[in-house]
Amino acid sequence: MERDQIIEKVNGFLEDEFEIDPGLLVSESSFKKDLGIDSLDIVDIVVMVDSIFGVKIKSEDLGKILTLGEFYDFIQEKTA
């Protein structure tokens, strides 16, 4: 899947479900510090990724993803 499509879908989900300001949704944004995503929110995000992209995220992979850009990269790698 193209990166632009991934960004559009992920950002749309984050805007709709977590009411995050679209201006904050940039590659450098930290899930915790910049976006305010907590551990309970991560569960919803994992379900979303499985539902939309068909990608299962393991907890050890999730621990390595700190920024939105890394998240986009992870999904792109898994959907290639």
Side-chain angles (χ1 to χ4, degrees), residues 42 46 56-65 74:
I42 292 293
V46 167
K56 303 258 189 241
I57 302 177
K58 297 177 184 172
S59 57
E60 59 266 19
D61 291 333
L62 197 56
K64 298 174 190 172
I65 300 170
F74 175 84

Side-chain angles (χ1 to χ4, degrees), residues 11-26:
N11 288 2
F13 175 81
L14 293 174
E15 288 174 37
D16 293 344
E17 296 298 318
F18 299 103
E19 299 178 355
I20 296 174
D21 181 335
L24 295 175
L25 299 173
V26 295

Side-chain angles (χ1 to χ4, degrees), residues 5-80:
Q5 293 172 305
I6 293 167
I7 292 170
E8 181 181 328
K9 289 181 182 199
V10 169
N11 288 2
F13 175 81
L14 293 174
E15 288 174 37
D16 293 344
E17 296 298 318
F18 299 103
E19 299 178 355
I20 296 174
D21 181 335
L24 295 175
L25 299 173
V26 295
S27 291
E28 299 80 25
S29 292
S30 162
F31 275 108
K32 290 182 182 180
K33 189 172 89 174
D34 300 321
L35 303 180
I37 301 293
D38 63 25
S39 57
L40 293 176
D41 296 332
I42 292 293
V43 173
D44 291 334
I45 292 171
V46 167
V47 171
M48 177 274 301
V49 169
D50 186 23
S51 173
I52 294 175
F53 300 103
V55 172
K56 303 258 189 241
I57 302 177
K58 297 177 184 172
S59 57
E60 59 266 19
D61 291 333
L62 197 56
K64 298 174 190 172
I65 300 170
L66 302 177
T67 66
L68 206 46
E70 292 171 356
F71 190 57
Y72 301 145
D73 292 340
F74 175 84
I75 293 171
Q76 187 172 23
E77 179 183 309
K78 297 295 184 183
T79 59

